[in-house]
Structure formats: C-alpha cells, structure tokens
Amino acid sequence: MHRYFIMIFLIAHTISYSQDSVLQAELDYALIPASNQRVSAQQVEAALKVPLDLGTVQLQPTIGLRNYDFEFWESMTFNTHPVDNLNNFFAGVDATHSLGEQWQLDAWGEASWASGINADETVLTGAAALQYTFKTFPAHLRLGVQYDTPLGDRELLPLVELAVSTHQFYLQLGFPESRISYALSESSTLSTHFDFEGDYFYVPQTVDFAAQTANQVGIARQKLALDYAYTIDSMWSFSLSAGYLFQNELKFYDSAQHAVNTLNMGAGPVFSTGIKFNFSKQ
C-alpha cells in the first residue's frame, strides 16, 4: 500500500526557463492502480537539465532515470521477475535553432540503458522538426519525423503540431500529443491533453514464454488527462494530474526485435504529480 501514499510528491512541466537558471531538477511520479487485469504500476522519473543559450541556438543537455515498478496481483503465464522493477538510465540533448523571425529548427536525441551501459543494448531515439510561426495569426505549425517509442516500439513516425495561443488559451493539435490549456492566473494553469507515450529498453534478464524468450520490452499507453500546474516562484513549480489510460500494454520482443507477446494490463485511471526546481545563479 506504500505506493498510494507516495503520490504527495509530484510533477511540473509548465514553468519556463529563467535567464538566471543554470540547472533544473525534476521529479515525476505516476500511479496506475490495479485494473481488472490485476496489474498495478508506479513510475518515477528524475532528471537534471542544463539550459544553454548560444545566441540563435539553444541547447538543453539532460541526464536522468526512469524507474518502473510493476506489481502482479495474480499469477501470470510467464515469470514476471525480470520486469518487476526496472531502471532505465538516459542521457540526451534538445536543440533549437532560430532561422529567422518565422522559422525554427528543433531536434533532440536520447540514449538509454536499462541493462547496463554497453553499446549492444543501447536504445537510441530522436526527432527533427521545422516550425513556422504565422505573422498575422497567433499560431505555429511544426512538421517533422521522429524515431521514437510512443507506440511501444522503436519506429519512424510523423511529428505534427498545430498550435494557437492567446493571452489565456493555448490549443495544440497533433501527434503524439494534443492539448488545451487555460491560464487561471499568472501562476496557475488548467489543461487537458490526450497523448501517446511509451518507452523501450533491454531487460537485464530474459523473459521466458512457452516456446520463446524476450530480452526487450516496450511500454505503450494512450492517455486522456486533466492537469493543474502552479508556479510558486521563479525557482519552484508543481503540478497534479488525473487521467484515464485507454491503452496500457507491456510488449515483449526477442533478440531480432520480433514481437513475442503483449500483456494487456487493462484500461483504467492514472494519477501523476511532481515538482520542478530551478537552481539560480544568484
């Protein structure tokens, strides 16, 4: 039952980088209670980010850890021990390059390791997109490609975003996320979003099925959520979120990256929370 009380520590994604900020620390927590499939999960993500302003280029190196803790309340048809608790370390960088008043080039890349840092079991993902900002309308269009895991496997996917913003409203339509936000005040925001989210990694131990084994696992989720975010000051912010998972699956792959099995953990609620801290030069 301890996992139900950890929820008091939460996540924030809305505070912008301060010009005085030299380092950001983020802690995210998500809880997925047991569904009718009798599998519950909790996820913790901790990250350190360093925003760098190089004129027309902005960089943000990141290092962090994603921990997945699954609890199987009933016996499964396979040994669940290799996927009971997983630590996925990651390092990456986001880059933004201004090409003028209306054009911007965005790119990011990430490497992750869940079974030890070695070249053979490194998962590489990334994306690149070109963004156009309209002059006569408060909107931008971003189009690109991503080699990423929002569907539970590493694959080449489109990256699409059409966003319209006013003083209080923000509307974003696209893939892998669509969002509507409303600024309740200068320090608080209420939003709803639907997104595809996932992860992919090598497991430290192989998972044995009846006639096959798997050494790679993917997570695939589709989520609709309502979020509240509050900026305390220039250094602290936090958020709360409650939502519903329409898809919640563990996908298992063999050494040739062929699908071996899919565990449907069941649709159901998800709760998340977190906190963000900006270290200041002052």
Side-chain angles (χ1 to χ4, degrees), residues 11-257:
I11 162 179
H13 291 292
T14 58
I15 188 170
S16 60
Y17 302 129
S18 166
Q19 290 183 350
D20 293 331
S21 175
V22 293
L23 181 66
Q24 285 187 338
E26 296 183 9
L27 177 65
D28 302 349
Y29 175 79
L31 169 67
I32 305 173
S35 65
N36 58 352
Q37 303 295 323
R38 305 301 294 162
V39 181
S40 62
Q42 61 181 341
Q43 176 179 332
V44 177
E45 180 172 332
L48 290 176
K49 302 181 178 181
V50 184
L52 301 173
D53 189 345
L54 305 178
T56 60
V57 177
Q58 285 76 46
L59 298 177
Q60 182 177 270
T62 302
I63 58 171
L65 168 69
R66 302 183 188 100
N67 171 263
Y68 300 97
D69 184 6
F70 298 99
E71 186 164 346
F72 301 88
W73 296 80
E74 294 178 352
S75 297
M76 296 289 157
T77 58
F78 63 95
N79 180 17
T80 62
H81 177 70
V83 291
D84 281 346
N85 194 291
L86 296 163
N87 292 308
N88 194 17
F89 296 91
F90 63 92
V93 62
D94 290 7
T96 300
H97 177 42
S98 175
L99 302 175
E101 292 184 1
Q102 294 178 267
W103 292 95
Q104 175 178 296
L105 179 64
D106 301 324
W108 64 263
E110 180 184 288
S112 63
W113 306 267
S115 60
I117 299 179
N118 61 77
D120 292 338
E121 297 186 349
T122 299
V123 175
L124 298 175
T125 54
L130 194 61
Q131 178 175 305
Y132 176 77
T133 301
F134 297 89
K135 276 189 174 182
T136 59
F137 193 67
H140 71 255
L141 175 65
R142 189 158 67 128
L143 298 174
V145 294
Q146 56 181 328
Y147 182 68
D148 202 6
T149 62
L151 303 182
D153 192 6
R154 289 178 294 177
E155 53 189 324
L156 195 63
L157 297 167
L159 182 63
V160 182
E161 177 182 301
L162 176 62
V164 180
S165 60
T166 65
H167 178 66
Q168 288 185 292
F169 283 97
Y170 176 79
L171 171 64
Q172 173 186 317
L173 301 174
F175 177 84
E177 181 184 71
S178 295
R179 176 179 294 271
I180 302 174
S181 300
Y182 177 74
L184 301 173
S185 66
E186 291 185 357
S187 57
S188 61
T189 303
L190 186 67
S191 62
T192 181
H193 73 275
F194 179 81
D195 61 17
F196 297 81
E197 59 182 33
D199 203 358
Y200 189 95
F201 39 79
Y202 290 80
V203 290
Q205 294 178 262
T206 59
V207 184
D208 297 320
F209 296 95
Q212 296 173 297
T213 62
N215 68 339
Q216 299 161 59
V217 172
I219 296 174
R221 296 171 181 159
Q222 295 179 24
K223 180 176 69 176
L224 177 66
L226 181 66
D227 309 326
Y228 173 76
Y230 184 77
T231 300
I232 300 173
D233 54 32
S234 62
M235 298 179 67
W236 290 96
S237 68
F238 73 90
S239 74
L240 299 169
S241 177
Y244 188 85
L245 292 175
F246 293 93
Q247 180 189 24
N248 182 24
E249 295 179 343
L250 276 180
K251 299 183 177 184
F252 298 88
Y253 302 88
D254 61 19
S255 57
Q257 299 182 11

